[in-house]
Amino acid sequence: MGINVISLFNGINCGRVALERAGIEVDKYYSSEINEDSIAVTTENYPDTIHIGDIEEIIKVGETNYVNESFLKGLPKIDLLIGGSPCQGISRSKSFRENLKDPRSRLFYNYVALKNWLIDNNNPELRFMLENVKPNNETKEIMDSAINAKSTMVNSALFSAQRRPRLFWTNFEIPTLPDKESSLCIKDIEYEHEYEVKEVADEYMSTIRFGKNCMSYDTSGKGYYSQANRAYYPNGKMCTIPKSRTKSKCNIHMSDNKFRRPHPIEIERLQGLPDNYTSIIKSHDTRMGLVGDGWNVDTVAHILKGIK
């Protein structure tokens, strides 16, 4: 009675959580993912997920084009294709990025190829949603043209205690977005647990700055004020949860020069996930990285309501 979904680069199944939260019933949910920890989290929370492996074993674009026709023709009617292709190649956070020439970016074209195949051979009324970071303008125009849709910028600060601006490409109308940020802030997602209070070392005390969103200090001696040297105020929003070094980049300010590291449950709450959603993974660092690599659930749930 529900819809059939294919999720590429599925991660820890945030798309399934978002569909559930949007009140959209799912019949079959196909997940393409190769990270074993992500697959373990997905299987633990949604054991009915149908794992289909590496997208490049199904459809591939590049020097050697490949389409697994026998697999694709065996699918039921697919109603929704979702995914967030790897962003490392097109992120503007580093000036040396190769954009769509980066080998990791070819997966964007695999998504587009599968979208086109499904529309031509499976369901001409297929709905799709692709998420990614904002690239430079030239790359964005190429992506808009390739996927045949204009992107919409949505910041998860509208729905959560986290600032997370992302582009979404859809062929359905996104419901009207809130006109102001959510009142949720870091203190609303705090989890009571034992933690170590850290202090900025005396040698860096003179570099401390108290900005609008965070306390920061410089350990480089060059004025870099890196993300790992910031602590965000409890009555404000958290930064975008990163995939790498999550624990050291999402510090929570305590007072003066004091701060603490986040707990995995707090990172889950910032993404709108249930408490202990990733607890099958024992390493706290790994858990937080997996969550950072996922979607903000309430943001995506709002967008997916548009498919109704």
Side-chain angles (χ1 to χ4, degrees):
M1 296 298 293
I3 66 172
N4 294 323
V5 183
I6 293 180
S7 173
L8 302 188
F9 333 112
N10 184 60
I12 58 174
N13 232 20
C14 291
R16 183 73 179 272
V17 184
L19 284 163
E20 191 174 88
R21 196 158 298 172
I24 300 169
E25 189 171 348
V26 172
D27 184 8
K28 293 181 174 60
Y29 191 97
Y30 297 89
S31 163
S32 173
E33 178 56 59
I34 61 174
N35 181 280
E36 292 184 1
D37 289 330
S38 296
I39 293 171
V41 172
T42 291
T43 303
E44 175 71 12
N45 289 280
Y46 293 95
D48 63 337
T49 301
I50 304 169
H51 298 277
I52 58 176
D54 188 348
I55 179 58
E56 296 205 306
E57 297 296 325
I58 298 170
I59 196 164
K60 184 176 181 180
V61 178
E63 295 180 2
T64 304
N65 292 330
Y66 172 74
V67 179
N68 188 336
E69 293 274 356
S70 61
F71 171 79
L72 291 174
K73 289 182 178 179
L75 291 170
K77 178 184 176 183
I78 301 300
D79 303 291
L80 176 67
L81 174 67
I82 59 176
S85 55
C87 65
Q88 296 95 330
I90 66 173
S91 170
R92 296 188 300 171
S93 63
K94 301 291 183 181
S95 60
F96 56 79
R97 299 302 193 197
E98 294 184 285
N99 299 307
L100 293 175
K101 295 180 181 178
D102 188 293
R104 294 165 293 190
S105 298
R106 71 180 184 273
L107 295 175
F108 162 75
Y109 289 108
N110 292 346
Y111 178 98
V112 173
L114 180 58
K115 185 263 295 183
N116 292 340
W117 191 97
L118 290 171
I119 289 174
D120 291 341
N121 300 279
N122 180 283
N123 180 10
E125 296 183 348
L126 174 82
R127 298 292 182 262
F128 67 80
M129 184 200 78
L130 176 73
E131 175 265 3
N132 216 309
V133 298
K134 184 179 181 180
N136 62 41
N137 290 334
E138 179 183 2
T139 301
K140 180 181 174 299
E141 289 179 5
I142 294 172
M143 296 174 75
D144 287 352
S145 176
I147 202 168
N148 193 28
K150 291 291 185 180
S151 61
T152 300
M153 174 65 74
V154 183
N155 194 326
S156 294
L158 296 172
F159 304 96
S160 72
Q162 172 195 186
R163 289 195 169 87
R164 191 182 190 89
R166 290 292 186 269
L167 291 180
F168 292 87
W169 288 263
T170 70
N171 64 342
F172 55 87
E173 186 175 351
I174 296 176
T176 302
L177 296 168
D179 57 8
K180 61 181 180 180
E181 292 184 355
S182 163
S183 61
L184 288 170
C185 55
I186 293 172
K187 65 182 180 182
D188 297 318
I189 58 86
E190 287 186 314
Y191 171 69
E192 291 188 10
H193 67 286
E194 292 185 5
Y195 53 79
E196 176 187 0
V197 176
K198 295 183 173 294
E199 297 186 19
V200 178
D202 290 342
E203 61 187 297
Y204 305 124
M205 286 289 289
S206 63
T207 71
I208 289 180
R209 295 176 179 175
F210 293 95
K212 180 180 178 181
N213 302 310
C214 63
M215 178 271 287
S216 59
Y217 59 100
D218 178 38
T219 59
S220 69
K222 300 178 181 180
Y224 289 159
Y225 288 86
S226 69
Q227 190 173 350
N229 295 333
R230 302 172 191 171
Y232 294 86
Y233 305 136
N235 62 351
K237 302 278 188 183
M238 179 57 75
C239 63
T240 297
I241 302 170
K243 175 181 178 179
S244 62
R245 297 173 59 202
T246 313
K247 186 176 181 179
S248 64
K249 292 180 179 179
C250 295
N251 299 309
I252 299 173
H253 185 251
M254 303 294 289
S255 64
D256 300 323
N257 67 326
K258 298 179 176 62
F259 62 94
R260 68 173 177 86
R261 304 298 195 199
H263 188 277
I265 287 180
E266 293 172 324
I267 299 298
E268 290 169 342
R269 290 176 178 178
L270 284 166
Q271 285 286 55
L273 290 165
D275 288 2
N276 284 311
Y277 184 81
T278 59
S279 61
I280 191 173
I281 306 299
K282 301 310 175 187
S283 165
H284 280 198
D285 290 339
T286 301
R287 283 178 65 180
M288 290 189 277
L290 292 174
V291 175
D293 196 32
W295 285 336
N296 181 271
V297 169
D298 292 309
T299 302
V300 175
H302 178 86
I303 291 169
L304 290 178
K305 288 177 182 177
I307 69 174
K308 287 189 175 182

